[in-house]
Amino acid sequence: MNLSHAYGPAQAHKDAVAFLQRAIDIGYDFLDTATIYGMGNNEKLIGEALQGRRSSFLLASKCVMGFKDGKRWLDGSPEAIRKACTASLERLRTDVIDLYYMHRPDPNVPIEESVGALADLVAQGKIRMIGLSEMSAETIKKAHAVHPISAVQSEYSLLTRNPEIAVLQACQDLGITFVPFSPVGRGFLADAPLKPDEYHESDLRRTFPRYSEPHFSQNLALLDIAKAQAKALNCTVGQLALAWCLAQDKTCVPIPGTTNLQHLEDNFAAAEISMPADVLAQLNADFAPEAVSGLRYSPPAQATVSTERYEFEMRAQ
């Protein structure tokens, strides 16, 4: 996503192509994109950059959240899902998508109908596995009853631990792989602190309470804690955040996004970091959900997901 939008202008096309090719060279073998990323341009980028290397990685994309005339829309109807898949296959220059997610739940379409359409795509050989993104444990269970769900994606990091309420357990019970997105806290969990007053006008973090003032400054004390722990383990803060994810759920597959080559290499190396039990326990205590200032989403963004929230978050809404 970062290569095409969300945290500022899209990366220059030539640089983005080289970046993706470098990722595969390093050993990355799971790439996550979506119809909505760059209004389809991110899928086109992957299709172009990695021609001839399709067998080197597992490809994931997403439907339901799409675009028309430059504007976003949400449509989980079977017809829309079929059309979105056909368009994604063309942009990605492939005949099959390994893992195809519902990007968001559509409140106007029963989850059973949407998953039924995805099951048809599996039967047709257009996708191999079905995934869900930002959905509640209850929705996951309903979907899984229609067709096996292979992966569930949701925001999960030291700063955002909502999946621990119910989604992680649901995934474990059903044998579903959990895929944490934004595992480095949308760039907050890094050695160089973010600067909210320097966010680009298109940066999504401008709309997320905990990444803007007054909450941002209040959360810097947590960043100091992470820096100290990272220093003790001789790793970067980003690597600490990823190692924490992997220690919390040893079967999860975090998908850190970056446009920085050094971070690309650092993130890959995080899998080699051993997280001592006492450090894990201390991080879990220091980064207790109620210790983080500010909600993770603005009200409009929160309305698009069905993931569980803590009681204190509900009161603060």
Side-chain angles (χ1 to χ4, degrees):
M1 180 178 73
N2 307 35
L3 295 174
S4 297
H5 87 288
Y7 300 125
Q11 193 173 36
H13 183 76
K14 181 180 178 181
D15 294 338
V17 168
F19 192 88
L20 285 168
Q21 292 173 344
R22 177 58 180 159
I24 299 301
D25 290 342
I26 290 173
Y28 281 91
D29 58 6
F30 180 38
L31 299 183
D32 179 278
T33 184
T35 293
I36 198 64
Y37 296 167
M39 301 295 181
N41 286 319
N42 196 256
E43 289 182 320
K44 290 180 181 178
L45 173 65
I46 290 175
E48 175 188 339
L50 299 176
Q51 273 292 292
R53 306 185 71 172
R54 180 66 181 85
S55 62
S56 300
F57 61 94
L58 187 148
L59 176 63
S61 192
K62 309 179 191 73
C63 60
V64 176
M65 185 179 287
F67 61 93
K68 184 177 182 180
D69 299 327
K71 295 182 179 180
R72 292 188 178 198
W73 52 250
L74 194 70
D75 191 342
S77 66
E79 181 181 4
I81 287 174
R82 287 191 292 268
K83 288 182 177 179
C85 183
T86 298
S88 288
L89 287 168
E90 182 177 346
R91 288 190 291 263
L92 289 163
R93 303 187 189 184
T94 186
D95 57 0
V96 63
I97 298 170
D98 298 307
L99 174 60
Y100 202 44
Y101 290 95
M102 287 183 64
H103 206 154
R104 291 290 188 272
D106 182 347
N108 299 314
V109 180
I111 188 68
E112 292 85 353
E113 289 186 20
S114 299
V115 174
L118 290 168
D120 289 342
L121 292 176
V122 173
Q124 294 165 19
K126 294 182 178 180
I127 67 175
R128 291 195 171 102
M129 297 175 284
I130 299 173
L132 305 176
S133 176
E134 290 281 68
M135 299 193 194
S136 68
E138 179 182 359
T139 303
I140 294 167
K141 292 173 184 177
K142 288 181 179 179
H144 194 74
V146 176
H147 186 280
I149 302 300
S150 296
V152 167
Q153 181 174 145
S154 198
E155 184 174 3
Y156 187 51
S157 72
L158 283 164
L159 292 178
T160 300
R161 296 174 62 179
N162 298 67
E164 294 175 17
I165 300 173
V167 166
L168 280 177
Q169 188 61 56
C171 288
Q172 291 169 7
D173 291 344
L174 298 173
I176 299 171
T177 298
F178 181 62
V179 180
F181 76 76
S182 296
V184 294
R186 299 186 185 274
F188 182 88
L189 296 168
D191 291 276
L194 298 174
K195 298 179 180 179
D197 58 344
E198 296 182 6
Y199 288 159
H200 187 270
E201 61 181 11
S202 65
D203 196 317
L204 287 177
R205 290 171 295 195
R206 294 167 63 95
T207 69
F208 298 156
R210 67 183 46 159
Y211 300 106
S212 54
E213 298 296 2
H215 303 292
F216 179 85
S217 293
Q218 295 178 42
N219 288 323
L220 288 176
L222 293 173
L223 180 58
D224 289 338
I225 291 171
K227 285 182 176 180
Q229 293 285 15
K231 183 178 181 180
L233 291 179
N234 194 30
C235 66
T236 68
V237 174
Q239 288 175 326
L240 178 82
L242 289 167
W244 174 86
C245 266
L246 293 168
Q248 288 288 92
D249 179 356
K250 297 184 186 304
T251 65
C252 78
V253 182
I255 49 171
T258 185
T259 60
N260 181 296
L261 280 171
Q262 185 59 57
H263 293 170
L264 186 73
E265 296 184 3
D266 289 345
N267 291 343
F268 192 82
E272 304 303 319
I273 295 172
S274 177
M275 174 69 68
D278 60 329
V279 175
L280 179 64
Q282 190 61 55
L283 286 170
N284 281 335
D286 290 336
F287 283 83
E290 61 272 19
V292 180
S293 180
L295 298 173
R296 78 173 180 120
Y297 276 152
S298 63
Q302 183 63 48
T304 69
V305 305
S306 65
T307 46
E308 293 81 1
R309 287 184 287 172
Y310 292 98
E311 288 188 13
F312 71 86
E313 292 178 301
M314 302 288 284
R315 293 193 299 269
Q317 185 67 49

